[in-house]
Amino acid sequence: MKSVFYVGYNVFPLGFAQTQRELLIAKGLVETGCKVTVLCRFGTHDDKDTNVQSGGVFESVHYKYCSGSAYRSNSFLKRNFYKSIGFVNEISTIIKAKLNKELDAILITTNTFENVLIYTLLGKLINTQTIIDNTEYWTSVKRHSNVWGDYFYDKYSFRLANKVIGISDFLLEKYKEKKDPSLLFKIPAVVDFSKFDNGLSKVDLGFKYFLFCGSGVYSPLIEFIIDSFDLLKDNNYHLILVCSNGIKSDFDVIDAKIASSKKANLIHLKSHLPYSELTELYVSSVALLIPLRPTSQDTARFPHKIGEYCASKRPIITTNFGEIRNYFQNGVNAYVSEKYEVIDYAQAMEQSIKDSDMTESVAQESYKIGKANFDYKVWGQKLYDFIFNK
């Protein structure tokens, strides 16, 4: 049995897009017969996260908090003590596993170049291949504060790792300039379709609605959506915005935008929903919103929600940029606005409520394209072969 350590991110097993991608890629490998262990250096959960143990097995994936706790201490001294202990224990855990012949590869998912440097150098020291999974072009993320770290991440991380997984063609094209293409592998957004296929009950809120789910970090997209929603002629439709992470200033912007909307009474902002409630909202919607901008950031990334949207069998309303072009066609398996313009996006929303038969056909085709490309089970054996047979 091959054994893989998944390192670099300190939120597991409960978390948002990056945690879910880590979990699903790990589950895909487990289904090929691998043992996968997620190592978190220190705890980041707060008191709202219930029953997160310091180690165990979650959906067949092993995990361990090397600091001994999954939670973030309120004490500055304790936090930094746990970080130090976690770092030492993480490195020793990796080295010990290698010496005991219980480690065959190190998968890395991280937002910092410093972590890439640590893990890749450690991999070379213990003669174990490292594979980095990258989902962002960091120098294009304007609010990321570590400018030099982002520069080094984009320029050198893929060179330091033995192999590289990228979430988009944009990223892989960047890597091909300096990396053998056989050492590159694309995994798009991934989702567990079984959680949707096993049957989800619909919820009746007493009104029809569009839904957007995403981080408050993307407040400009939410403003764009509200502006588009304001242009809808039919006032029988509501808008639900589900935003569960971001900083206060993000939510201040969102709150102000809602308040200034002429349809403020039709807009509902929700956060921190249980996953079961969120998926019920997905499957009960008229359509699901995920506009992408014509920027390097949105061309490089692939929102995790797209996979979930497909699995929910509801139509997606998006824009024709980045990875969208590889999978979706307007009027076939999504409503795709050619431009990132409020009026164009509003027209796509209008189209989804104008012809219900077409909308249901688009929804079914969306599910099919998602099942074929975004189900995590599609990628397990392919990733295993990439890691161990190349």
Side-chain angles (χ1 to χ4, degrees):
M1 175 189 293
K2 297 291 188 181
S3 180
V4 176
F5 280 175
Y6 218 144
V7 302
Y9 194 60
N10 298 314
V11 186
F12 195 89
L14 305 179
F16 297 107
Q18 191 166 354
T19 301
Q20 292 304 306
R21 180 174 174 85
E22 183 178 29
L23 172 63
L24 293 169
I25 287 177
K27 285 175 64 173
L29 286 174
V30 168
E31 293 188 6
T32 69
C34 276
K35 178 182 178 182
V36 181
T37 303
V38 175
L39 296 182
C40 297
R41 190 175 298 167
F42 53 86
T44 55
H45 291 282
D46 60 31
D47 292 337
K48 289 182 292 185
D49 302 318
T50 60
N51 199 31
V52 181
Q53 304 299 314
S54 60
V57 181
F58 183 83
E59 296 186 7
S60 73
V61 178
H62 292 75
Y63 73 96
K64 174 184 177 182
Y65 277 86
C66 297
S67 63
S69 173
Y71 290 88
R72 181 181 185 272
S73 173
N74 291 324
S75 166
F76 174 81
L77 292 177
K78 285 184 178 180
R79 281 201 308 272
N80 286 278
F81 173 75
Y82 286 139
K83 287 179 181 180
S84 299
I85 291 296
F87 177 77
V88 173
N89 285 343
E90 181 184 38
I91 299 301
S92 63
T93 298
I94 293 171
I95 294 173
K96 182 179 178 181
K98 180 63 178 181
L99 292 175
N100 291 336
K101 298 182 179 180
E102 296 174 345
L103 177 62
D104 299 290
I106 300 172
L107 270 171
I108 305 167
T109 177
T110 183
N111 302 341
T112 67
F113 177 72
E114 292 84 356
N115 276 339
V116 173
L117 190 60
I118 289 168
Y119 295 124
T120 54
L121 289 177
L122 179 60
K124 295 180 189 304
L125 179 66
I126 62 175
N127 193 29
T128 300
Q129 66 168 321
T130 53
I131 306 97
I132 187 170
D133 177 30
N134 194 14
T135 60
E136 295 274 6
Y137 190 55
W138 290 106
T139 48
S140 69
V141 181
K142 302 302 182 186
R143 60 186 286 155
H144 220 234
S145 58
N146 191 353
V147 176
W148 281 108
D150 292 343
Y151 171 80
F152 285 121
Y153 194 113
D154 289 342
K155 190 171 181 62
Y156 297 111
S157 62
F158 67 93
R159 304 188 199 187
L160 293 173
N162 297 106
K163 297 174 182 176
V164 180
I165 302 167
I167 201 171
S168 65
D169 287 345
F170 177 92
L171 290 174
L172 293 186
E173 286 301 319
K174 293 288 183 182
Y175 305 152
K176 284 178 183 177
E177 298 172 4
K178 300 291 182 180
K179 196 88 171 177
D180 183 340
S182 69
L183 302 177
L184 305 175
F185 188 63
K186 179 181 173 182
I187 300 182
V190 284
V191 66
D192 186 347
F193 270 68
S194 68
K195 292 184 177 180
F196 292 79
D197 292 343
N198 290 339
L200 293 173
S201 59
K202 290 191 175 183
V203 60
D204 184 3
L205 299 181
F207 52 81
K208 299 176 182 179
Y209 61 89
F210 296 92
L211 184 143
F212 167 82
C213 181
S215 169
V217 168
Y218 297 106
S219 56
L221 288 178
I222 295 171
E223 292 182 285
F224 174 86
I225 287 170
I226 292 172
D227 285 337
S228 301
F229 179 67
D230 276 349
L231 294 181
L232 294 187
K233 298 174 184 177
D234 193 331
N235 291 323
N236 293 316
Y237 291 84
H238 291 232
L239 172 63
I240 294 179
L241 305 169
V242 183
C243 305
S244 295
N245 62 331
I247 58 178
K248 183 180 182 300
S249 60
D250 295 326
F251 287 95
D252 288 343
V253 169
I254 295 168
D255 288 338
K257 188 65 180 180
I258 293 173
S260 67
S261 168
K262 64 182 182 181
K263 294 186 177 182
N265 63 311
L266 302 178
I267 302 174
H268 313 270
L269 179 62
K270 299 177 179 291
S271 62
H272 299 292
L273 298 180
Y275 192 69
S276 58
E277 186 175 337
L278 175 61
T279 52
E280 285 179 352
L281 288 175
Y282 283 166
V283 302
S284 306
S285 68
V286 172
L288 299 162
L289 311 178
I290 188 76
L292 295 180
R293 300 160 293 187
T295 63
S296 294
Q297 180 182 3
D298 281 7
T299 304
R301 70 190 186 97
F302 195 150
H304 174 74
K305 297 304 175 187
I306 290 179
E308 293 184 334
Y309 284 4
C310 289
S312 70
K313 295 184 180 179
R314 301 310 307 144
I316 298 169
I317 304 178
T318 186
T319 50
N320 199 28
F321 301 105
E323 287 296 301
I324 295 299
R325 294 173 175 172
N326 292 331
Y327 303 99
F328 298 101
Q329 293 178 278
N330 183 42
V332 177
N333 53 17
Y335 291 100
V336 184
S337 172
E338 283 297 319
K339 299 178 182 179
Y340 183 75
E341 298 287 348
V342 167
I343 189 169
D344 294 271
Y345 199 72
Q347 288 172 353
M349 295 172 71
E350 290 276 11
Q351 184 64 35
S352 71
I353 59 180
K354 182 179 180 181
D355 187 338
S356 59
D357 289 338
M358 178 181 177
T359 295
E360 291 309 309
S361 173
V362 166
Q364 292 301 316
E365 293 302 314
S366 172
Y367 173 85
K368 290 178 183 177
I369 199 73
K371 184 72 171 177
N373 293 279
F374 310 142
D375 191 338
Y376 82 93
K377 295 181 179 180
V378 171
W379 296 101
Q381 188 61 51
K382 294 177 181 178
L383 179 57
Y384 179 95
D385 291 338
F386 173 71
I387 295 173
F388 297 113
N389 296 329
K390 283 191 178 181

